[in-house]
């Protein structure tokens, strides 16, 4: 039985570590877990090995090799996007033609956030969420995106605070100020990514707030809604990993 936690822990330990090099992460010392280079699929293979889902002796293959593993039905099984959860993977590209720049792959930290080794502006291992690039990588307008679960992956129990509007949230400070959004931001009923989305701000809109909270792995600004009269929350950065804010102050 594989461990999603072990796979994710390794993936996070590689955040901003290897340089993205197409074809990297495969030969000699570059095939090791501490390599200086990786590409999307060699990183994916190493993560699957760390989780115990594929043999240590397996070649760090390509997206085409990942498709092959799914066809064989021994290591990966295909799922729908609706089923996606932590530890599942995506493969972008046409099976049979996904080699090189025509394919990509990564791991879901949750539905709405991925970790992957990628080129573009990053050229390393990064995380991307709904507010920063997630839908760009999962866009299937030009190339199909398919979803898979490592066989043997189970949801590992985690202590979790029950999220309700009446929960006493951790307030960092009171602060009367404003921020400028750089992308679409969800307005939520309480400071959790599980909370209902009640509205959205578009990019380059001002948000006036009166307090700051820290919950659910995010920093949040908060205010009383003019129309609802209820307290609302907007996440503006993560508290670990990539902490780059998507709201400017």
């Amino acid at each position: 039985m594989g461990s999603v936690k072990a796979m994710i822990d390794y993936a996070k330990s590689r955040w901003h570590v290897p340089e993205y090099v197409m074809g990297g992460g495969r030969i000699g010392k570059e095939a090791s877990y501490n390599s200086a280079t990786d590409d999307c699929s060699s990183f994916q293979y190493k993560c699957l090995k760390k989780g115990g889902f594929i043999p240590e002796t397996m070649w760090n293959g390509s997206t085409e090799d990942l498709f092959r593993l799914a066809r064989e039905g021994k290591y990966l099984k295909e799922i729908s996007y609706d089923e996606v959860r932590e530890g599942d993977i995506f493969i972008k590209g046409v099976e049979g033609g996904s080699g090189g720049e025509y394919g990509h792959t990564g791991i879901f930290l949750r539905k709405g956030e991925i970790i992957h080794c990628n080129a573009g502006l990053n050229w390393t291992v990064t995380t991307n969420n709904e507010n920063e690039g997630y839908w760009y990588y999962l866009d299937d307008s030009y190339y199909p995106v398919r979803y898979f679960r490592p066989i043997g992956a189970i949801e590992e129990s985690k202590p979790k605070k029950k999220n309700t509007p009446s929960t006493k949230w951790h307030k960092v400070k009171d602060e009367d100020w404003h921020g400028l959004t750089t992308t679409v931001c969800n307005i939520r009923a309480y400071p959790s990514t599980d909370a209902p989305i009640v509205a959205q701000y578009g990019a380059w809109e001002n948000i006036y707030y009166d307090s700051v909270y820290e919950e659910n792995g995010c920093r949040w600004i908060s205010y009383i809604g003019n129309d609802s009269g209820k307290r609302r929350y907007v996440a503006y950065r993560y508290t670990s990993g990539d902490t780059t804010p998507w709201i400017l102050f």
Side-chain angles (χ1 to χ4, degrees), residues 11-55:
K12 288 181 175 179
S13 76
R14 298 289 282 166
W15 185 78
H16 280 202
V17 176
E19 177 187 2
Y20 177 92
V21 173
M22 189 176 293
R26 291 178 173 82
I27 305 297
K29 65 180 181 181
E30 290 306 298
S32 74
Y33 291 119
N34 299 312
S35 60
T37 68
D38 267 315
D39 64 12
C40 65
S41 49
S42 66
F43 173 70
Q44 183 75 271
Y45 267 81
K46 292 174 186 182
C47 292
L48 288 168
K49 289 178 182 180
K50 274 290 188 179
F53 296 112
I54 61 176

Side-chain angles (χ1 to χ4, degrees), residues 62-65 67 91-104:
S62 64
T63 49
E64 286 298 300
D65 293 314
F67 280 131
I91 308 174
K92 186 172 187 174
V94 177
E95 186 172 356
S98 70
E101 62 185 11
Y102 298 103
H104 190 54

Side-chain angles (χ1 to χ4, degrees), residues 191-215:
S192 170
T193 52
D194 295 328
I197 299 171
V198 298
Q200 288 184 321
Y201 283 99
W204 310 114
E205 290 192 63
N206 280 308
I207 305 177
Y208 292 85
Y209 63 96
D210 60 23
S211 51
V212 178
Y213 290 76
E214 191 168 287
E215 285 290 342

